[in-house]
Amino acid sequence: MSQDYGPAEWHPADDHNYSGVKFREPISKIVVHVSGGSAASAAHTFQDPNREASYHYLIDFDGTPWQFVRERAVAYHCGWWNWNQRSIGVGLAGSLTSNNDKTEEMYKSLARLIARLSVKYDIPIDRKHIKGHYQAPGCSGSGGGFSCHTDPGEGFRWRFLLSQARKFRREMNS
């Protein structure tokens, strides 16, 4: 069980895949990713000490949240250190080339997590603060980070995700 987010299953990433800095920058954004596989395959990747990559959280196909890195640590998820220091990396399991495999329950589970993070870190639920990996700086062409990622990709349901996150945040505050 996760110490940061009760519903999440704890599957710790290898120490080489995040920085346990004691004084990280204030969290000001949430960056959405797509894993290219299941939460179990992401856990396997993030437990490989040679990958130098991780997210804080990932929502699996059944809507179960998995946590890989504690929120107070800096996950290597954006390919851009400045963003890594100021963000929480969250992802959805599934295809990198299509969002047709993302279910409503996956979006709602991600929205619940975003709502909780937005309250905890006082992050507005809007596209200025909830970003896609493709928006991270560092790519010399199109895409985000040093590796020019394009996730979460075309057809991602941003409007639905943000409206659900706002709804869950209102429920948390009432």
Side-chain angles (χ1 to χ4, degrees), residues 21 23-31 56 71-75 77-78 80-89 121 123 128-131 137:
V21 295
F23 302 103
R24 74 176 291 177
E25 297 290 326
I27 305 301
S28 61
K29 62 178 68 72
I30 298 167
V31 180
H56 292 91
E71 291 171 15
R72 69 175 182 257
V74 178
H77 64 97
C78 286
W80 192 253
W81 180 248
N82 186 287
W83 271 37
N84 284 343
Q85 284 186 289
R86 292 173 168 78
S87 64
I88 299 288
Y121 297 105
I123 301 171
K128 183 177 177 185
H129 298 89
I130 314 297
K131 302 284 196 176

Side-chain angles (χ1 to χ4, degrees), residues 58-117:
L58 181 81
I59 307 302
D60 206 5
F61 291 108
D62 65 358
T64 301
W66 289 40
Q67 185 175 6
F68 306 105
V69 175
R70 294 292 308 270
E71 291 171 15
R72 69 175 182 257
V74 178
Y76 301 155
H77 64 97
C78 286
W80 192 253
W81 180 248
N82 186 287
W83 271 37
N84 284 343
Q85 284 186 289
R86 292 173 168 78
S87 64
I88 299 288
V90 299
L92 287 173
S95 171
L96 289 167
T97 58
S98 169
N99 281 302
N100 293 335
D101 59 349
K102 315 307 182 287
T103 66
E104 188 167 313
E105 186 51 43
M106 290 171 74
Y107 278 102
K108 285 182 176 181
S109 182
L110 180 58
R112 282 184 201 91
L113 174 58
I114 288 172
R116 207 270 305 161
L117 293 169

Side-chain angles (χ1 to χ4, degrees), residues 7 12 21-22 44 46 48 52 97 102 121-122 129 134 136 147:
V21 295
K22 292 186 187 209
H44 180 74
F46 299 157
D48 176 348
E52 296 183 349
T97 58
K102 315 307 182 287
Y121 297 105
D122 196 28
H129 298 89
Y134 71 93
S147 300

Side-chain angles (χ1 to χ4, degrees), residues 112 115 119 164-174:
R112 282 184 201 91
V119 168
Q164 289 296 300
R166 287 183 196 109
K167 176 185 138 196
F168 293 135
R169 183 174 174 148
R170 281 191 305 274
E171 290 173 1
M172 291 171 67
N173 289 331
S174 59

